[in-house]
Amino acid sequence: MQHFLTIAELTSTEIENLLDLALKLKRERAKGGNKPILAGKNLAMIFQKPSLRTRVSFEIAMKHLGGHALYISPDEIGLGKRESVADVARVLSGYADGIMARVFDHEHILALAQYAAVPVINGLSDHNHPCQALGDILTILERRPRLQGLTVSYVGDGNNVATSLIHICTKLGIHFKIATPLDYQLPPLVVVKAREFAAKSGSQIFETTDPFEAVRDTDVIYTDVWTSMGQESEKAKRAAVFPAYQVNTALVRKAKPDVLVMHCLPAHRGEEITDTMADGPNSVLFPQAENRLHAQKAILAELLGEKKKTTKKTKSKK
Ligand code: CP
Ligand code: NVA
């Protein structure tokens, strides 16, 4: 792994290794603290959008691992406006050991990775949210140790979070059902890729507009906001279309009794999820948010940690 930009470009083994490492680092932290494997390392964090979880969990993850994170606020560097993305990548590479970025345009993530001399981590773009997906699967894995054959049902907008989720599920053999309104389906190319992954892993994909059909007997119900950051002008239009996709008592009753109710947060309570479901016995919303910390430690350790030496000992020929 050179960067962490999309779930789609990781192999299932790379994902499983990250999950194992996240569990190990989580146990280590619980037993008294992580080893300072990133001592002296600095992570530059570019934010074009607001954040609670991503900002705080990356900053604290770096601290727990002995390193440091630097927050760069939306108005500060004018990514692609005040200065080209390529130049920002080149300049930051001279100061920091890694770059984490939350952007609107996914092309900006790709350009950062292209021009940076250090690893780049995608902390959400309009296209996807791979850090979220890794933390989500960690949360499921802790409660359902056999992932293969589980069903995850996503209800709501076919957005950035849904994109990374369908890709991680289909990489790992988890069946994926999604219910969205017709005009808010996942982008066709995202589904095409997911079908390729599913053909290899044995996952099944099911798309519908009927939320009740999507959640029947499922293991996990997942939702996200109806209006993502950057889509604020569409809020009223979306609010008229999405109410049938609310995760509420009637919907959750159709799933398995021990279904896990998930949401990446921030939640708009009373819109895509009711208080009863967000705070009920099936909800794993807050362990899920915590797991961002542990999942991202694994990503940071993998990308910024010392690489194992692979130099072969050569016998001197005399
Ligand atoms: N889930 C998530 O990424 O939250 P933030 O937007 O608060 O970082
Ligand atoms: N889909 C949401 C996720 C926030 C973490 C957004 O992009 O605003």
Side-chain angles (χ1 to χ4, degrees):
M1 257 173 66
Q2 207 187 340
H3 303 288
F4 187 82
L5 310 180
T6 69
I7 294 295
E9 69 196 359
L10 300 175
T11 65
S12 56
T13 307
E14 283 171 328
I15 297 169
E16 283 158 6
N17 288 345
L18 283 170
L19 291 167
D20 282 349
L21 184 54
L23 287 170
K24 183 178 154 252
L25 291 166
K26 186 171 179 176
R27 278 195 302 271
E28 188 181 84
R29 170 77 190 156
K31 281 188 188 153
N34 292 125
K35 298 194 181 84
I37 53 173
L38 298 186
K41 303 275 175 158
N42 289 286
L43 180 72
M45 306 194 297
I46 301 171
F47 280 91
Q48 287 191 317
K49 299 178 180 180
S51 170
L52 169 62
R53 280 143 291 271
T54 306
R55 188 244 162 116
V56 178
S57 57
F58 265 109
E59 193 162 332
I60 291 183
M62 282 301 289
K63 204 170 178 66
H64 284 174
L65 297 175
H68 178 76
L70 176 84
Y71 172 72
I72 304 166
S73 70
D75 297 330
E76 245 170 282
I77 59 173
L79 190 68
K81 291 186 187 124
R82 180 170 181 264
E83 198 162 357
S84 76
V85 181
D87 284 357
V88 170
R90 291 174 181 125
V91 170
L92 285 178
S93 298
Y95 305 142
D97 303 281
I99 301 169
M100 196 284 295
R102 165 167 286 195
V103 301
F104 289 94
D105 185 350
H106 188 69
E107 291 297 320
H108 285 176
I109 287 286
L110 300 180
L112 282 171
Q114 184 180 346
Y115 293 102
V118 297
V120 173
I121 300 170
N122 177 359
L124 179 145
S125 74
D126 287 348
H127 169 58
N128 65 358
H129 197 1
C131 293
Q132 182 68 52
L134 194 69
D136 296 341
I137 296 298
L138 182 62
T139 309
I140 298 172
L141 182 65
E142 288 177 323
R143 290 158 181 82
R144 305 283 184 270
R146 190 174 154 70
L147 294 176
Q148 187 99 24
L150 289 176
T151 301
V152 169
S153 300
Y154 180 97
V155 177
D157 185 23
N159 62 14
N160 46 5
V161 167
T163 291
S164 291
L165 193 63
I166 190 175
H167 284 165
I168 204 162
C169 286
T170 50
K171 287 263 175 181
L172 297 176
I174 300 170
H175 306 311
F176 191 81
K177 297 185 176 178
I178 179 163
T180 63
L182 262 187
D183 291 339
Y184 297 93
Q185 289 170 327
L186 281 166
L189 279 179
V190 168
V191 181
V192 167
K193 269 197 186 162
R195 291 204 183 282
E196 283 170 23
F197 307 150
K200 267 196 180 170
S201 71
S203 299
Q204 289 163 16
I205 298 171
F206 178 71
E207 294 176 276
T208 177
T209 53
D210 180 352
F212 286 90
E213 207 181 348
V215 305
R216 195 182 307 130
D217 296 326
T218 195
D219 299 288
V220 177
I221 296 179
Y222 196 119
T223 192
D224 184 16
V225 291
W226 297 335
T227 302
S228 286
M229 293 178 279
Q231 300 171 333
E232 288 77 9
S233 65
E234 298 174 25
K235 193 170 172 23
K237 189 176 143 208
R238 286 167 173 266
V241 174
F242 278 98
Y245 295 82
Q246 185 185 64
V247 172
N248 54 29
T249 308
L251 189 74
V252 173
R253 202 176 281 138
K254 300 287 175 204
K256 287 188 179 158
D258 61 350
V259 63
L260 304 177
V261 172
M262 302 184 73
H263 190 312
C264 58
L265 301 178
H268 292 170
R269 288 163 175 259
E271 292 183 22
E272 74 277 0
I273 192 164
T274 57
D275 283 334
T276 312
M277 286 303 113
D279 301 325
N282 296 85
S283 167
V284 294
L285 267 55
F286 299 105
Q288 182 185 357
E290 184 194 316
N291 273 337
R292 293 289 303 279
L293 174 72
H294 309 295
Q296 287 157 198
K297 277 185 190 172
I299 298 167
L300 291 166
E302 179 64 29
L303 291 177
L304 273 56
E306 290 304 318
K307 299 279 175 286
K308 286 189 193 91
K309 296 243 175 0
T310 51
T311 43
K312 285 180 199 151
K313 280 181 190 159
T314 47
K315 280 182 189 166
S316 56
K317 289 174 195 164
K318 281 187 183 162

